[in-house]
Amino acid sequence: MTDTSTSPTASVRSPAGSPVLGGLGLFTVLLGAALPLIDFFIVNVALPTIGRDLAASESVLELVVAGYGVAYAVLLVLGGRLGDLFGRRRLFIGGMVAFGITSLACGLAPTAWTLVAARIAQGAASAAMLPQVLATIQSTTAGPRRARAMGLYGATAGLSMVAGQILGGVLVAADIAGTGWRSVFLVNVPVVLLGLVLAARTVPETRSQHPEPVDAPGTFLLAVSLITLLAPLTEGRAAGWPLWTWLSLAAFPFAAAAFYAVERGADQKGRTPLVPPTLFALTSLRRGLVMIVPFSIGFSGFMFVIAVALQRGAGLGPVQAGLALAPMAVTFFCVSLAGPRLVTRYGTRVVTVGGLIQGVGVGLIAVAAWRSWPDLGLVELLPGAAVAGAGQALQLPVLFRIVLSEIEPARAGVGSGVMITTQQSALALGVATLGTLFLSLAPGMGMGDALVTTLVVQLGGIVLTTLLSLRLPRVIG
């Protein structure tokens, strides 16, 4: 069979007639994958400027982050199902159009509450676009090509989360044409236009061979479950933990139990639930998801806390605060490119080694914060950030491959939606938990000691992920 992986057109097909994703097509869907993740983190260093410009309270600024994250997490599985039903390329392009429009709305927002509303809509647009990326890769690649594409997806995801924070700092400081913080959203518009031109020409259309209708009760109950958990955790501290936050958290286990009961009942009756319980019979998916949760909580919590600590505590500007993480981005990208070869040779024990390396890196950052505070910047953080980035690169891309390795193409959208929902919910939880811990400790302990304490807690999560990695299947299918 002739290798068509470098073809730029969408019409490339394998001898069996199935569509094949060419090299430019892969670049296009990875561009679509990068945008939502960059926008989750890009506002971290822009929040102080947004607060001053729009006279926004801390609780409203929390909503700028949380509104996007919650809407994104709640709708991801539905986005995957709709792609299976109506066509993944169609949903990808539609989601990208909506992402561009909502990004423009964010950049032009006249008030803080207008910005919050636009961010919620932007999260919904991301949920339509992102699941189609993994589903398209699963449906149009196989064997070594799929391993390479999944490796690149994992590298893109991790790099986007770090690069988003760096880019946010640079754009705010650059103040392009007097746009200030607005440029962190407006920069998406030309990128989206480029993505749409490429997607129309290079991304093949795929859909499930047996499209399944939308599970309305399951969709509603999943949304209620995630909102009752994420909304109070992300807003509780800034709002002063009012009664509604406690009532919401108390309702979460009941909503989650109702969701599981409805999905299991639909499965037993031969219907198609939003999240088929049979998916969790796959050992690779189940154990991979369990690892993604603590990893993502630690990752996003660290990114939020370090941004706040460097700007409010160490007195760095947005550019210096963003660039302090540049070593992490560089090593993540470089090491992640070697990931597929390492996994082929050593199996999933690469993830265990990655956990150990990440732990050393975060430990070095904690020591640097303890010894150098408040003189903490690029030079002091460089060794720890570089080592931590290398360790993360041996974990996240491999975990994505593991989770999706046994899912058949017909369920690619659902499987992708479940995985990204888990990751996104954990990212939001990371900001809520580690961020709340840090901001609660800072007034009494000082920001330096609060940062060190939070990093020690994160180290506990890294130990957990490292131990969990020992239960992963040794070989990826």
Side-chain angles (χ1 to χ4, degrees):
M1 185 173 106
T2 303
D3 182 11
T4 56
S5 61
T6 58
S7 172
T9 66
S11 59
V12 176
R13 289 183 174 267
S14 68
S18 58
V20 173
L21 187 66
L24 193 53
L26 178 60
F27 169 81
T28 304
V29 295
L30 292 180
L31 179 66
L35 286 172
L37 290 169
I38 287 174
D39 262 60
F40 183 82
F41 289 92
I42 201 169
V43 298
N44 280 349
V45 293
L47 287 176
T49 311
I50 294 173
R52 288 193 298 270
D53 190 30
L54 298 183
S57 66
E58 187 178 356
S59 60
V60 175
L61 288 177
E62 291 272 1
L63 277 174
V64 172
V65 178
Y68 176 87
V70 172
Y72 186 20
V74 163
L75 297 172
L76 275 164
V77 179
L78 177 62
R81 172 61 61 84
L82 292 175
D84 288 348
L85 184 62
F86 296 111
R88 292 154 188 153
R89 177 175 175 268
R90 181 178 300 176
L91 261 290
F92 179 78
I93 290 176
M96 186 170 278
V97 169
F99 187 85
I101 293 171
T102 53
S103 295
L104 182 63
C106 288
L108 299 178
T111 67
W113 284 106
T114 307
L115 177 59
V116 169
R119 282 284 283 174
I120 292 171
Q122 190 185 37
S126 297
M129 177 171 60
L130 188 57
Q132 318 316 325
V133 175
L134 283 170
T136 297
I137 290 173
Q138 287 288 101
S139 301
T140 58
T141 61
R145 292 181 66 253
R146 178 179 295 176
R148 175 176 172 272
M150 287 300 300
L152 288 172
Y153 174 86
T156 300
L159 186 61
S160 298
M161 291 189 278
V162 182
Q165 208 139 304
I166 299 172
L167 181 62
V170 172
L171 288 173
V172 170
D175 193 22
I176 301 170
T179 54
W181 60 267
R182 298 178 185 277
S183 61
V184 304
F185 301 113
L186 296 176
V187 72
N188 291 331
V189 177
V191 178
V192 164
L193 292 175
L194 172 64
L196 289 172
V197 172
L198 292 175
R201 298 186 62 240
T202 67
V203 178
E205 181 65 280
T206 64
R207 67 184 71 201
S208 174
Q209 294 287 335
H210 306 286
E212 300 161 340
V214 172
D215 171 18
T219 300
F220 173 76
L221 287 171
L222 177 62
V224 171
S225 300
L226 291 174
I227 289 172
T228 54
L229 175 65
L230 296 177
L233 287 178
T234 52
E235 273 295 292
R237 188 201 61 81
W241 296 105
L243 179 61
W244 73 264
T245 60
W246 299 107
L247 293 176
S248 181
L249 287 172
F252 166 68
F254 297 100
F259 171 69
Y260 177 75
V262 166
E263 297 298 273
R264 185 177 63 176
D267 207 22
Q268 291 172 344
K269 293 175 183 177
R271 300 172 188 162
T272 305
L274 180 70
V275 180
T278 50
L279 272 182
F280 297 94
L282 302 174
T283 301
S284 56
L285 179 137
R286 187 174 64 251
R287 294 183 180 177
L289 289 180
V290 168
M291 269 201 70
I292 282 176
V293 171
F295 178 90
S296 298
I297 287 174
F299 195 110
S300 65
F302 169 81
M303 298 297 288
F304 175 79
V305 167
I306 202 71
V308 174
L310 291 178
Q311 289 189 88
R312 295 188 193 173
L316 299 185
V319 173
Q320 291 83 0
L323 290 179
L325 297 175
M328 180 179 287
V330 171
T331 57
F332 188 103
F333 179 73
C334 294
V335 175
S336 64
L337 294 179
R341 292 193 298 273
L342 292 172
V343 171
T344 301
R345 184 169 181 179
Y346 299 108
T348 58
R349 288 298 174 261
V350 167
V351 180
T352 306
V353 174
L356 295 172
I357 295 173
Q358 186 192 6
V360 171
V362 172
L364 290 173
I365 293 173
V367 171
W370 175 63
R371 295 180 61 182
S372 304
W373 188 264
D375 300 318
L376 195 64
L378 173 62
V379 174
E380 292 78 15
L381 290 174
L382 193 153
V387 173
Q392 292 161 351
L394 295 176
Q395 294 176 282
L396 188 63
V398 183
L399 286 174
F400 287 156
R401 284 183 59 191
I402 291 170
V403 170
L404 298 178
S405 61
E406 295 182 275
I407 296 177
E408 65 270 25
R411 283 184 163 180
V414 176
S416 301
V418 168
M419 185 185 76
I420 303 168
T421 297
T422 302
Q423 183 201 19
Q424 184 59 40
S425 300
L427 289 174
L429 281 174
V431 174
T433 53
L434 292 179
T436 297
L437 173 66
F438 170 73
L439 293 172
S440 300
L441 293 176
M445 300 176 64
M447 281 208 174
D449 289 341
L451 174 60
V452 173
T453 303
T454 305
L455 290 171
V456 170
V457 172
Q458 185 189 351
L459 275 172
I462 293 171
V463 170
L464 175 61
T465 59
T466 304
L467 293 174
L468 288 172
S469 70
L470 298 174
R471 300 186 69 244
L472 293 173
R474 290 297 299 268
V475 178
I476 301 177

